Amino acid sequence: MVNKKGDKAITKDVAIDIVVFGVVQGVGFRPFVYRIAKELGYTGWVKNIGHGVEVHLESKDKTDFNDFFTAFERAKPPLAQVEDTQVTPSARFHNCRDFVIKKTKEGKSFVFISPDISICESCKEEMMSPTDRRYLYPFINCTDCGPRYTIVEDLPYDRDQTTMRSFTMCANCREEYENPFDRRYHAQPIACPVCGPQISLINAKTHKEIKGGITKATFLIKDGKILAIKGLGGFHLVCDPFNFDAVRRLRQIKKRKTKPLALMARDLSIIKKYAAVNPAEEAQLLSARRPIVLLKKVKDIRGIAPRLEEMGFMLPYTPLHNLLLEKIALIVATSSNQKDSPIMKDIEEGIENLCDYVLTHNRPIHMRSDDSVMKVVEGAPLFLRRARGYVPYPQQVPAALESPHHVLALGGELKDTISIYKNGYVVTSQFLGDLDDYKNFQYFEETIAHLKRLFELKPKVVVSDLHPNFHTTRYAERLGLRHIQVQHHYAHVLAALLEHKISPGKMVLGVSLDGYGYGEDGTAWGAEFLLADYDGYQRLGHFKYVPLPGGDLAAKHPWRMAIAYLYETFGERGAEKGGERSGGRKRGRSTDWSGDGTQAMKTLSARIEQSTSLKKVSTRKRNAALEMIERGMNSPMASSCGRLFDAVSFLVGLAPREMEFEAEAPMRLESAAEESFLKSYRFAIINDEKRGQATFYRGNKKSSLSPFFHISFIPTIKAILKDLNQGVPVSQISAKFHNTLARVILKVAERARQKHHTDTVVLTGGVFLNKRLLTTTLHLLEHKGFKTLRPVVYSPNDESISVGQIAYALNLLQKHTGHK
Ligand SMILES: [Zn+2]
Ligand SMILES: [Zn+2]
């Protein structure tokens, strides 16, 4: 990595200049360089410049600088992310007497702010050492660890601009803070028991403080009580996972019957009692970012993740959590939000109504942030939620997309994030939730203000989704900036292109599978095959449109989708096209109700009666849904992939009649799938070429839309019903269904390669949180020589929409085309 161009020129009285690029500011990089330079006897300086740090090293007696580079490589600050190091012989020998940290004005650089980072090993050792002055102190931290993003209010990042401002450093802390050789040199949240924050334990009913602190808190948890515990980005609700009554009460408080609850374990050995942990998962659990990792159960804990094969675990990340878990091995630690509201950060927000006791402290949280949640797929993260520990880590954009303008992107509506672009980097906010909830919308506004302030953003351009009624779209319209709109599924694909630094001009096949997104033609898109680059995309094909009886309700009641798919398969429209394999000639006649309609309806009724799971839905409700479909009332058509999963999950008897949380039905279906079962079902690719040539879209330019093909799952549904009839185990049906979708993607990829010479396939959209589908598809594609890209830094779900929006805007700004 180090370019040793300078080596030859080095003799006596030598000097070199080193420029380190990447995330190296505000992470203790300068003091780190200072320490090694001083220890090794070099003179010179270190200072922040533009995108990095500049080091000037001088020596009167050394022949090379190898000892410096060895120390440099070995002990880089854990928060630093070095992207490149350039070394050149210095033009001048300054004859420096000392090594100094030069102060610089932070000019046009991208000033980096660290995410919140879990307690480091050195701090942990001190905290557990009885002779240390911070023995058992729950707010110990240093330059390498502790709170950052959640306590910073403004720039520059010093103590006065953080929520630590009200704590005046004692003489001992100040000495450490000012000493470049100390691990706490310029650690803004530095604190000790004498001068720093303190905890208090409060009875939630009486609002009175009680004695006993952390020790008492653990007794209360063991005693079946529910505690709210203040962490970095908000409160957790905590209870004993083995006390079923406590878990049930916690579920009542959170109004969640089945949604999985996260667990925090003292150490890996505890986790391994209940879950299988492979080395890559272990590395994520142990990383300083401390995400929740979903792991395969080996021993279930009743009530924690019912009907799912995975449980979510994390290791303690604050000193406070570490002290708490010294005395209790495993706790439920779920975020303190009530349904559709952001995580609570202050006691005044009503946390006392959700628990029996509150373990809080007086270091204010400025910015809320939930725990991050991931699975590990093929050794790399697959984020379900990206927040604490990762935000606001910046993402460098491909050089060709860099722009002098600042950009603000507002994302979609559900699982929203915002992203900002400045000086070559994108910063994406933490997960903000569903903006249809007023409190979440306020959180969205708080977060925009926060990021704008922290990164001194003066956006020239704002980007939103195409959906005219999204809160984000309307918010964008009110800003009075140049407003660019990007289609939802295309934004998903672009996010992956940006993350993987794909250059402009490279065409990929984007496979964007999710629940719903506003289509270019105003219809509901949801399972899209897009030939795409940064300039635009062509919609090559999609899943067949299926009615969503009841509109939004269809996403909550999987039985509605089961009826819709049976209708498509056996009802009049379905019967008419029952024999379709390829060609789809009868497409235009789908509203022709004459002919053998009655017979078809009889078949349909019989099929519905035969379905064990549909029989559990009242006849009245079933008929109402059927009528809606028949009359085309409140039954929008959508090419959704999520709804297909709902239907299949319900038909095989896994989905509940009413889903409590998003993707509950698909998650149960995935959990049921038999491993390494290779069979699949038939499906049909129906060519729509008679409908004219597909148009190559640039931006949101409107014109008629003509897909090349659609995928019909009528043969699949028929075969699933046959399997059910013949008593084939649900585990095998589920496996076959997953394999079918993977084969659909492979077939489409092969078509695209043949016709458009694309060998790269992007797999994105919330459906790819399904690990079974993702790994099967990756293997199939890679086996056939495709290069695959999937979001790793970001979630494939709608959290990445704002990132894709940035990519599109940057490309447009590059071209100076000027059109919207
Ligand atoms: Zn530390
Ligand atoms: Zn102190």
Side-chain angles (χ1 to χ4, degrees), residues 150 229-236 317 336 343-345 365 367-369:
T150 53
I229 298 181
K230 189 169 170 180
L232 281 173
F235 282 93
H236 279 134
Y317 48 90
S336 63
I343 187 169
M344 290 193 189
K345 71 179 178 72
I365 295 172
M367 195 71 238
R368 293 164 217 277
S369 189

Side-chain angles (χ1 to χ4, degrees), residues 119-120 122-123 141-145 183-184:
I119 182 172
C120 70
S122 311
C123 284
N141 67 80
C142 72
T143 317
D144 297 341
C145 74
R183 211 173 80 242
R184 296 191 170 87

Side-chain angles (χ1 to χ4, degrees), residues 312-375:
F313 286 91
M314 66 184 137
L315 291 170
Y317 48 90
T318 67
L320 196 161
H321 292 138
N322 274 274
L323 292 170
L324 188 80
L325 283 146
E326 280 292 310
K327 300 186 176 76
I328 181 166
L330 191 66
I331 55 173
V332 169
T334 181
S335 54
S336 63
N337 55 329
Q338 281 177 302
K339 223 173 172 183
D340 303 325
S341 292
I343 187 169
M344 290 193 189
K345 71 179 178 72
D346 302 316
I347 203 159
E348 293 76 20
E349 292 178 325
I351 193 74
E352 286 162 313
N353 302 325
L354 302 183
C355 60
D356 304 315
Y357 294 89
V358 187
L359 182 62
T360 186
H361 58 74
N362 58 347
R363 185 180 68 205
I365 295 172
H366 179 64
M367 195 71 238
R368 293 164 217 277
S369 189
D370 283 278
D371 291 320
S372 296
V373 186
M374 67 162 67
K375 305 180 190 186

Side-chain angles (χ1 to χ4, degrees), residues 231-259:
L232 281 173
F235 282 93
H236 279 134
L237 293 179
V238 169
C239 76
D240 176 359
F242 304 107
N243 184 328
F244 187 67
D245 284 334
V247 172
R248 196 170 52 192
R249 209 153 61 82
L250 179 62
R251 287 192 171 281
Q252 279 163 1
I253 291 168
K254 286 199 77 174
K255 298 190 177 77
R256 280 173 175 176
K257 282 193 203 129
T258 52
K259 192 167 180 177

Side-chain angles (χ1 to χ4, degrees), residues 77 81 96 113 151 157 175 290 367 374 383 481 565 588 687-688 764 793:
Q81 199 178 48
C96 301
I113 312 253
I151 62 161
Y157 172 56
E175 203 183 297
R290 288 287 196 272
M367 195 71 238
M374 67 162 67
F383 279 98
L481 302 171
Y565 268 95
N687 288 316
D688 292 336
T764 183
V793 172

Side-chain angles (χ1 to χ4, degrees), residues 169-180 182 185 190:
M169 276 181 231
C170 68
N172 284 334
C173 283
R174 175 146 306 274
E175 203 183 297
E176 292 168 337
Y177 181 83
E178 287 172 353
N179 176 5
D182 196 280
Y185 176 67
I190 188 173

